[in-house]
Amino acid sequence: MTSAAPISALTRGRAVSEQVMPGLEAALAAKYDQYLPGFSEWQIATVYGGPYDRDGVDFKTRQIATVAALAALGQQTRPQLKIHVRAALDAGWTPREVAEVIMQMALYGGFPAAINALNAAIEVFEEAEDV
Amino acid sequence: MTSAAPISALTRGRAVSEQVMPGLEAALAAKYDQYLPGFSEWQIATVYGGPYDRDGVDFKTRQIATVAALAALGQQTRPQLKIHVRAALDAGWTPREVAEVIMQMALYGGFPAAINALNAAIEVFEEAEDV
Amino acid sequence: MTSAAPISALTRGRAVSEQVMPGLEAALAAKYDQYLPGFSEWQIATVYGGPYDRDGVDFKTRQIATVAALAALGQQTRPQLKIHVRAALDAGWTPREVAEVIMQMALYGGFPAAINALNAAIEVFEEAEDV
Amino acid sequence: MTSAAPISALTRGRAVSEQVMPGLEAALAAKYDQYLPGFSEWQIATVYGGPYDRDGVDFKTRQIATVAALAALGQQTRPQLKIHVRAALDAGWTPREVAEVIMQMALYGGFPAAINALNAAIEVFEEAEDV
Amino acid sequence: MTSAAPISALTRGRAVSEQVMPGLEAALAAKYDQYLPGFSEWQIATVYGGPYDRDGVDFKTRQIATVAALAALGQQTRPQLKIHVRAALDAGWTPREVAEVIMQMALYGGFPAAINALNAAIEVFEEAEDV
Amino acid sequence: MTSAAPISALTRGRAVSEQVMPGLEAALAAKYDQYLPGFSEWQIATVYGGPYDRDGVDFKTRQIATVAALAALGQQTRPQLKIHVRAALDAGWTPREVAEVIMQMALYGGFPAAINALNAAIEVFEEAEDV
């Protein structure tokens, strides 16, 4: 009778993603579903109905953790890093805080990864200022 | 006469590292300085007199960011991940919070990285319980 | 009443994982769920109710693709590589075929990654022969 | 008197590369040999006279394995991924099959790697449709 | 009374960086310090007042070692690779020597990493020729 | 009669590998060729009849470049790093020089990669002292 958890994975994923990145599922569907039926639903359920919808650690912490990881993984995650820098700002982190965490990643992912991530983050900071 | 910033890098690095990981500098010196004169001082100044001693984001956040990054970078950072999981617990994160952030890294570093990191973290949780 | 997709993600994930790796969900639950409630279900739904349960490319191909990727990603994925080498054999690939694909990965992940992956695979081949 | 294997490495490598990517050796020679004498021959012999010319697993399987690995390794291999997506289509895989394998790599290389690889693959699919 | 080592880290770092990359600190400060106060000083002290200023191995060797590592780490370090290819030429390595070391990295970082690094290096070689 | 380049690849590769790592080809053959016919010859021809046998940069430089790259790539290449640290010592680099280059890799591959590589190198240094 209770709605089993996995149902709410997609439903809750949609709720989370609509709040954090309005229009994401539609954009994913338009781009990928012709090649990969159901991909957009799977990603929404897995990512936004997964860790980002879980209790156990607050949402704001999750956003800075993602920024840290993407910065350390290097330039190859640039588009996703920019999305999550924006999400970190939306979650209440200041540009300074985001930049501090990225700088710290020089110790773990190396200076090139950190510098390239700072460059990506600054683009987001400056877009945010333009608004 | 002026207390130039770089002086305090080593001095403050020592203060931070002594608090977070007592005995670290001596251990580094004993292991590495015979091959690499001054390495222990350089690491203390760079890491603990660097990002971990900066303002701009709180120390507790820095610890979870490091755990996230090391988990995403995968098994190759296992010894350092264990050290920083311990440091994250010491900084006030619960095992649940640490585990949540590591699980989330499956999305960015892949499931093998996340699972192997969870295994390392659980070893630390269990050692901590034994105390 | 409606068979919503996400429900079947866990249900179908269980069906797939029970066939490929009997006992996996119980093992995951025993190890991780005390720290991370629901992790085992999330992994089963995401991985085995996700790509491995999809149409579009046959299951056997998915297994060799995973072996290729894990080999190229290097030694850090060793435990998972061994699991998927075993799964590739179960899916009908011969040890020779698995070894060929791993050797090929020297071109993309470098020789150290390929050699270390071959070593892991050979352990699986030899365990399989012992049975 | 017997034709030693290494001779055929370059000879067979040329045969394979001319079939799979006509003009490759000449393009490599024009671009690199002035800085690196013999580089084009070494690459042709090593890659196309190496794994891609071996028995033991069929050529079509080798192509999807390479796509899987390059997708998992992330955006940094983008130019090579596009070349091998094209080669996978030429070897008989459908765009759907290629996309499925790339999507699966989200589990091993993370979502950013998989999404960026899908974007690269879709460029190839669309170029192929234009022909 | 003696100037403690960390002071000279920044001072010596400035001396080294001014020789190798004139204007670097000012450029870093202009770009990053508004978001990250003191970042430029930290990087100069850590990198150029760190390993690049140490005895124990000659400066020229350090430059080729960096080129090797950045090539093996792949395309994500492209901007930094170009900077260090230029620095390697300035330190006395020939384009041929730089290219040889990059080609060798195909064995460790894979062919895509090596090819993409060669492309970046050739851009630097050609800019150098234009001067 | 013609000394075709690829022939000498295996022949010269054998000459180089016998000098640098006596018994390597036999060891590779014993371990891998039952699963992968001809693998040992391919590796010898590609690696030791490839870059390590080329002119253009001296052999000693090639060894330190490899150590740098393997250190930056991290712990996953540990067995190969140890082999090449030994080869670097044999080529005339001192333990100090090898350690300096590895320490420098903290800047590019991060501190965990550098520390773990130093640990591996020190094992080799100490084995060398025992002889």
Side-chain angles (χ1 to χ4, degrees):
Chain A
M1 232 232 59
T2 59
S3 59
I7 283 199
S8 46
L10 181 58
T11 304
R12 280 180 296 114
R14 279 173 172 154
V16 174
S17 77
E18 275 313 299
Q19 248 193 334
V20 183
M21 300 183 201
L24 175 64
E25 186 179 355
L28 291 170
K31 180 142 199 197
Y32 302 110
D33 284 8
Q34 93 185 85
Y35 297 103
L36 227 30
F39 174 72
S40 56
E41 290 194 358
W42 182 67
Q43 185 174 351
I44 296 295
T46 299
V47 176
Y48 293 99
Y52 289 104
D53 187 54
R54 284 175 62 89
D55 294 334
V57 72
D58 62 286
F59 187 79
K60 190 182 170 188
T61 297
R62 290 195 185 276
Q63 287 298 343
I64 204 75
T66 297
V67 166
L70 295 179
L73 289 169
Q75 180 82 332
Q76 61 138 317
T77 66
R78 187 176 222 273
Q80 290 76 29
L81 177 63
K82 289 187 71 173
I83 289 169
H84 283 281
V85 165
R86 165 70 73 164
L89 299 178
D90 291 345
W93 297 99
T94 65
R96 171 77 187 272
E97 289 172 317
V98 169
E100 286 288 338
V101 164
I102 292 175
M103 171 188 169
Q104 182 179 330
M105 293 305 113
L107 305 175
Y108 305 110
F111 274 85
I115 298 271
N116 294 333
L118 275 176
N119 291 341
I122 287 173
E123 286 180 21
V124 178
F125 299 160
E126 290 176 352
E127 288 159 18
E129 277 165 21
D130 289 349
V131 177
Chain B
M1 217 220 58
T2 58
S3 62
I7 284 200
S8 47
L10 180 59
T11 304
R12 281 179 294 116
R14 277 172 173 153
V16 174
S17 76
E18 272 315 297
Q19 251 194 333
V20 184
M21 301 183 200
L24 176 63
E25 186 178 356
L28 290 171
K31 180 142 198 197
Y32 302 109
D33 284 8
Q34 92 184 86
Y35 297 103
L36 226 31
F39 173 72
S40 56
E41 291 194 356
W42 182 68
Q43 184 174 352
I44 296 295
T46 299
V47 176
Y48 294 100
Y52 289 105
D53 187 53
R54 285 175 62 89
D55 295 333
V57 71
D58 62 287
F59 187 79
K60 189 182 171 190
T61 297
R62 290 194 184 279
Q63 288 298 343
I64 204 73
T66 297
V67 167
L70 295 178
L73 288 170
Q75 180 82 330
Q76 62 138 318
T77 66
R78 188 177 221 274
Q80 290 76 29
L81 177 63
K82 290 186 69 174
I83 289 169
H84 283 281
V85 165
R86 165 69 75 166
L89 299 178
D90 290 345
W93 298 100
T94 65
R96 171 76 188 274
E97 288 171 317
V98 169
E100 287 287 337
V101 164
I102 292 175
M103 170 188 170
Q104 181 179 331
M105 293 304 114
L107 305 176
Y108 305 109
F111 273 86
I115 298 270
N116 294 333
L118 274 177
N119 291 341
I122 287 172
E123 286 181 22
V124 178
F125 299 160
E126 289 176 352
E127 287 159 18
E129 278 165 20
D130 289 351
V131 177
Chain C
M1 219 222 62
T2 59
S3 63
I7 283 199
S8 47
L10 181 58
T11 304
R12 280 178 297 115
R14 278 171 174 156
V16 174
S17 77
E18 272 315 297
Q19 250 194 333
V20 183
M21 301 184 199
L24 175 64
E25 186 179 356
L28 291 170
K31 180 142 197 196
Y32 301 110
D33 284 8
Q34 94 184 85
Y35 297 103
L36 227 30
F39 174 72
S40 57
E41 291 195 357
W42 182 67
Q43 185 174 350
I44 296 295
T46 299
V47 176
Y48 294 100
Y52 289 104
D53 187 54
R54 285 175 61 91
D55 295 334
V57 72
D58 62 286
F59 187 79
K60 189 181 171 189
T61 297
R62 289 193 185 278
Q63 288 297 344
I64 205 73
T66 297
V67 167
L70 295 178
L73 288 169
Q75 180 82 332
Q76 61 139 317
T77 65
R78 187 176 221 274
Q80 290 74 30
L81 176 63
K82 289 187 70 172
I83 289 169
H84 283 281
V85 166
R86 165 68 75 166
L89 299 178
D90 291 345
W93 298 99
T94 66
R96 172 76 188 275
E97 288 171 319
V98 169
E100 287 286 338
V101 164
I102 292 175
M103 170 188 170
Q104 182 179 330
M105 292 304 113
L107 305 176
Y108 304 109
F111 273 86
I115 298 271
N116 294 334
L118 274 176
N119 291 342
I122 287 172
E123 286 181 22
V124 178
F125 299 160
E126 290 176 351
E127 288 160 18
E129 278 164 21
D130 289 350
V131 177
Chain D
M1 231 233 59
T2 58
S3 59
I7 282 199
S8 46
L10 180 58
T11 304
R12 280 179 295 116
R14 279 174 173 153
V16 173
S17 77
E18 274 313 299
Q19 249 193 334
V20 182
M21 300 182 200
L24 175 64
E25 186 178 357
L28 290 171
K31 179 141 198 198
Y32 300 110
D33 283 9
Q34 93 184 84
Y35 297 103
L36 228 30
F39 173 72
S40 55
E41 290 194 357
W42 181 67
Q43 185 174 351
I44 296 294
T46 299
V47 177
Y48 294 100
Y52 289 105
D53 187 53
R54 285 175 62 90
D55 295 334
V57 72
D58 62 286
F59 187 80
K60 189 182 171 188
T61 296
R62 290 195 186 276
Q63 287 298 344
I64 204 74
T66 297
V67 167
L70 294 179
L73 289 169
Q75 180 81 331
Q76 61 139 317
T77 66
R78 187 175 222 274
Q80 290 75 29
L81 177 62
K82 289 187 70 174
I83 289 168
H84 283 281
V85 166
R86 165 70 74 164
L89 298 178
D90 290 345
W93 297 100
T94 65
R96 171 75 188 274
E97 288 171 318
V98 169
E100 286 287 337
V101 164
I102 292 175
M103 170 189 169
Q104 181 179 330
M105 293 305 114
L107 304 175
Y108 304 109
F111 273 86
I115 298 272
N116 294 333
L118 274 177
N119 291 341
I122 287 172
E123 285 180 22
V124 178
F125 299 161
E126 290 176 352
E127 288 160 18
E129 278 165 21
D130 289 349
V131 177
Chain E
M1 232 233 61
T2 59
S3 60
I7 282 200
S8 48
L10 180 59
T11 303
R12 282 179 295 115
R14 279 172 172 155
V16 173
S17 76
E18 273 314 298
Q19 250 193 333
V20 182
M21 301 184 200
L24 175 64
E25 186 178 356
L28 290 170
K31 180 142 198 196
Y32 301 110
D33 283 9
Q34 94 183 85
Y35 297 102
L36 227 30
F39 173 72
S40 56
E41 291 195 357
W42 182 68
Q43 184 173 353
I44 296 294
T46 300
V47 176
Y48 294 99
Y52 289 104
D53 186 54
R54 284 175 63 89
D55 293 334
V57 71
D58 63 285
F59 187 78
K60 190 181 170 189
T61 296
R62 290 194 185 277
Q63 288 298 342
I64 204 74
T66 297
V67 167
L70 294 179
L73 289 169
Q75 180 83 330
Q76 62 138 316
T77 66
R78 187 175 223 273
Q80 290 76 28
L81 176 62
K82 289 187 70 173
I83 289 169
H84 283 282
V85 166
R86 165 70 74 165
L89 299 178
D90 291 345
W93 297 100
T94 65
R96 171 74 187 275
E97 288 172 318
V98 169
E100 287 287 337
V101 164
I102 291 175
M103 171 189 170
Q104 182 179 329
M105 292 305 114
L107 304 175
Y108 304 109
F111 274 86
I115 298 270
N116 294 333
L118 275 177
N119 291 341
I122 287 172
E123 286 180 22
V124 178
F125 299 160
E126 290 176 351
E127 288 160 17
E129 278 165 21
D130 290 350
V131 177
Chain F
M1 221 222 61
T2 58
S3 61
I7 282 200
S8 47
L10 181 58
T11 304
R12 282 179 296 115
R14 278 174 173 153
V16 173
S17 77
E18 273 315 296
Q19 251 194 333
V20 183
M21 301 183 198
L24 176 63
E25 186 178 356
L28 290 171
K31 181 143 197 196
Y32 302 110
D33 284 7
Q34 93 184 85
Y35 297 104
L36 227 30
F39 173 72
S40 57
E41 290 194 357
W42 182 68
Q43 185 174 351
I44 297 295
T46 299
V47 176
Y48 294 100
Y52 288 105
D53 187 52
R54 286 175 61 89
D55 295 334
V57 71
D58 63 287
F59 187 78
K60 189 181 170 189
T61 297
R62 290 194 186 278
Q63 288 298 343
I64 205 73
T66 297
V67 167
L70 294 179
L73 289 170
Q75 180 82 332
Q76 61 138 319
T77 66
R78 189 175 220 275
Q80 290 76 29
L81 177 63
K82 290 187 70 174
I83 289 169
H84 283 281
V85 166
R86 166 68 75 165
L89 298 178
D90 290 345
W93 298 100
T94 65
R96 172 75 188 274
E97 289 172 318
V98 169
E100 287 287 338
V101 164
I102 292 175
M103 170 189 170
Q104 181 179 330
M105 292 305 113
L107 305 175
Y108 305 109
F111 273 86
I115 298 271
N116 294 333
L118 274 177
N119 291 342
I122 287 172
E123 286 181 22
V124 178
F125 299 160
E126 289 175 352
E127 288 159 17
E129 278 165 19
D130 289 350
V131 177

Coordinates of all heavy atoms in Angstrom, one line a residue, chain B residues 14 17-18 21-36 38-41 43-44 48 83, chain F residues 115 118-119 122:
Chain B
R14 N 52.6 23.8 11.3 CA 53.0 23.0 12.4 C 51.8 23.0 13.4 O 51.5 21.9 14.0 CB 54.3 23.4 13.1 CG 55.5 22.9 12.3 CD 56.8 23.5 12.8 NE 57.9 22.8 12.2 CZ 59.1 23.4 12.0 NH1 59.3 24.6 12.4 NH2 60.1 22.7 11.5
S17 N 48.9 21.0 12.0 CA 49.1 19.5 11.8 C 49.3 18.9 13.2 O 48.9 17.7 13.4 CB 50.3 19.2 11.0 OG 51.5 19.5 11.6
E18 N 49.8 19.6 14.2 CA 50.0 19.0 15.5 C 48.6 18.8 16.1 O 48.4 17.9 16.9 CB 50.8 19.9 16.4 CG 52.3 19.6 16.3 CD 52.6 18.1 16.4 OE1 52.3 17.5 17.4 OE2 53.1 17.6 15.4
M21 N 46.9 16.0 13.3 CA 47.6 14.7 13.3 C 48.9 14.8 14.1 O 50.0 14.9 13.5 CB 47.9 14.3 11.8 CG 46.7 14.2 11.0 SD 47.1 13.7 9.3 CE 45.6 14.3 8.5
P22 N 48.8 14.7 15.4 CA 50.0 14.9 16.3 C 51.1 13.9 15.8 O 50.8 12.7 15.6 CB 49.5 14.5 17.6 CG 48.0 14.6 17.6 CD 47.6 14.3 16.2
G23 N 52.3 14.4 15.7 CA 53.4 13.6 15.4 C 53.7 13.5 13.9 O 54.6 12.8 13.5
L24 N 52.8 14.1 13.1 CA 52.9 13.9 11.6 C 54.3 14.4 11.1 O 55.0 13.6 10.4 CB 51.8 14.7 10.9 CG 51.9 14.6 9.4 CD1 51.8 13.2 8.8 CD2 50.9 15.5 8.7
E25 N 54.7 15.6 11.5 CA 56.0 16.1 10.9 C 57.2 15.2 11.3 O 58.0 14.9 10.5 CB 56.2 17.5 11.4 CG 57.5 18.1 10.7 CD 57.8 19.6 11.1 OE1 57.0 20.2 11.9 OE2 58.8 20.1 10.6
A26 N 57.2 14.8 12.6 CA 58.3 13.9 13.0 C 58.3 12.6 12.2 O 59.3 12.1 11.8 CB 58.2 13.6 14.5
A27 N 57.1 12.1 12.0 CA 57.0 10.8 11.2 C 57.4 11.0 9.7 O 58.1 10.2 9.2 CB 55.5 10.3 11.2
L28 N 57.0 12.1 9.1 CA 57.5 12.4 7.8 C 59.0 12.6 7.7 O 59.6 12.1 6.8 CB 56.8 13.7 7.3 CG 55.3 13.6 7.0 CD1 54.8 15.1 6.7 CD2 55.0 12.7 5.8
A29 N 59.5 13.3 8.7 CA 60.9 13.5 8.7 C 61.7 12.2 8.8 O 62.7 12.0 8.1 CB 61.3 14.5 9.8
A30 N 61.2 11.4 9.7 CA 61.9 10.1 10.0 C 61.9 9.2 8.7 O 62.9 8.5 8.4 CB 61.3 9.3 11.1
K31 N 60.8 9.3 8.0 CA 60.7 8.4 6.8 C 61.4 9.0 5.6 O 62.0 8.3 4.8 CB 59.2 8.1 6.6 CG 59.0 7.2 5.4 CD 57.9 6.2 5.6 CE 58.0 5.1 4.6 NZ 56.7 4.4 4.4
Y32 N 61.2 10.3 5.3 CA 61.6 10.8 4.0 C 62.8 11.7 4.0 O 63.4 11.9 2.9 CB 60.4 11.6 3.4 CG 59.1 10.7 3.3 CD1 58.0 10.9 4.1 CD2 59.1 9.7 2.4 CE1 56.9 10.1 4.0 CE2 58.0 8.9 2.2 CZ 56.9 9.1 3.0 OH 55.8 8.3 2.9
D33 N 63.1 12.4 5.1 CA 64.1 13.4 5.0 C 65.5 12.9 4.7 O 66.3 13.7 4.1 CB 64.1 14.3 6.2 CG 62.9 15.3 6.2 OD1 62.0 15.2 5.3 OD2 62.8 16.2 7.1
Q34 N 65.8 11.7 5.0 CA 67.1 11.2 4.6 C 67.3 11.1 3.1 O 68.4 11.3 2.5 CB 67.4 9.8 5.2 CG 67.0 8.6 4.4 CD 67.3 7.3 5.1 OE1 66.4 6.8 5.8 NE2 68.4 6.7 4.9
Y35 N 66.2 10.9 2.4 CA 66.2 10.8 0.9 C 66.0 12.2 0.3 O 66.4 12.5 -0.8 CB 65.2 9.8 0.4 CG 65.5 8.4 0.8 CD1 64.8 7.8 1.8 CD2 66.6 7.7 0.2 CE1 65.1 6.5 2.2 CE2 66.9 6.4 0.6 CZ 66.1 5.8 1.6 OH 66.4 4.6 2.0
L36 N 65.2 13.0 1.1 CA 64.7 14.2 0.5 C 64.8 15.3 1.6 O 63.8 15.6 2.2 CB 63.2 13.9 0.2 CG 62.6 14.3 -1.1 CD1 63.5 14.3 -2.3 CD2 61.4 13.4 -1.4
G38 N 64.4 18.2 3.9 CA 63.4 19.3 4.0 C 62.0 18.9 3.5 O 61.1 19.8 3.5
F39 N 61.8 17.7 3.1 CA 60.5 17.3 2.5 C 59.4 17.5 3.6 O 58.3 18.0 3.3 CB 60.5 15.9 2.0 CG 59.2 15.4 1.6 CD1 58.6 15.9 0.5 CD2 58.5 14.5 2.4 CE1 57.3 15.4 0.1 CE2 57.2 14.0 2.0 CZ 56.6 14.5 0.9
S40 N 59.7 17.1 4.8 CA 58.6 17.1 5.8 C 58.2 18.6 6.1 O 57.0 18.8 6.2 CB 59.1 16.5 7.1 OG 60.3 17.1 7.6
E41 N 59.2 19.5 6.1 CA 58.8 20.9 6.3 C 58.0 21.4 5.1 O 57.1 22.2 5.3 CB 60.1 21.7 6.5 CG 60.8 21.5 7.8 CD 61.8 22.5 8.2 OE1 62.0 23.5 7.4 OE2 62.4 22.5 9.3
Q43 N 56.1 19.8 3.1 CA 54.7 19.3 3.1 C 53.8 19.9 4.2 O 52.7 20.3 4.0 CB 54.7 17.7 3.3 CG 53.2 17.2 3.2 CD 53.1 15.7 3.2 OE1 54.1 15.0 3.2 NE2 51.9 15.2 3.3
I44 N 54.4 20.1 5.4 CA 53.7 20.7 6.5 C 53.3 22.2 6.1 O 52.2 22.6 6.3 CB 54.5 20.7 7.8 CG1 54.7 19.3 8.3 CG2 53.8 21.5 8.9 CD1 53.5 18.5 8.7
Y48 N 49.4 22.0 5.5 CA 48.7 22.5 6.8 C 48.9 24.0 7.0 O 48.2 24.6 7.7 CB 49.2 21.6 7.9 CG 48.6 20.2 7.7 CD1 49.5 19.2 7.2 CD2 47.3 19.9 7.9 CE1 49.0 17.9 7.0 CE2 46.8 18.7 7.7 CZ 47.6 17.7 7.2 OH 47.1 16.5 6.9
I83 N 43.2 8.4 6.4 CA 43.7 9.5 7.3 C 42.7 10.6 7.3 O 42.3 11.1 8.4 CB 45.1 10.0 6.8 CG1 46.2 9.0 7.1 CG2 45.4 11.3 7.5 CD1 47.5 9.3 6.4
Chain F
I115 N 53.3 10.7 -2.4 CA 53.7 10.0 -1.2 C 53.8 8.5 -1.4 O 54.7 7.8 -1.0 CB 52.7 10.3 0.0 CG1 52.7 11.8 0.3 CG2 53.1 9.5 1.2 CD1 53.7 12.3 1.3
L118 N 56.8 7.7 -3.4 CA 58.0 7.8 -2.6 C 58.1 6.5 -1.8 O 59.2 5.9 -1.6 CB 57.9 9.0 -1.6 CG 58.4 10.3 -2.2 CD1 58.3 11.4 -1.1 CD2 59.9 10.2 -2.6
N119 N 57.0 6.0 -1.2 CA 57.1 4.8 -0.4 C 57.6 3.6 -1.2 O 58.4 2.8 -0.8 CB 55.7 4.5 0.2 CG 55.3 5.5 1.3 OD1 56.2 6.2 1.8 ND2 54.1 5.6 1.6
I122 N 61.3 4.1 -2.0 CA 62.2 3.8 -0.9 C 62.4 2.3 -0.7 O 63.5 1.9 -0.3 CB 61.6 4.5 0.4 CG1 61.8 6.0 0.3 CG2 62.3 4.0 1.7 CD1 61.2 6.9 1.4

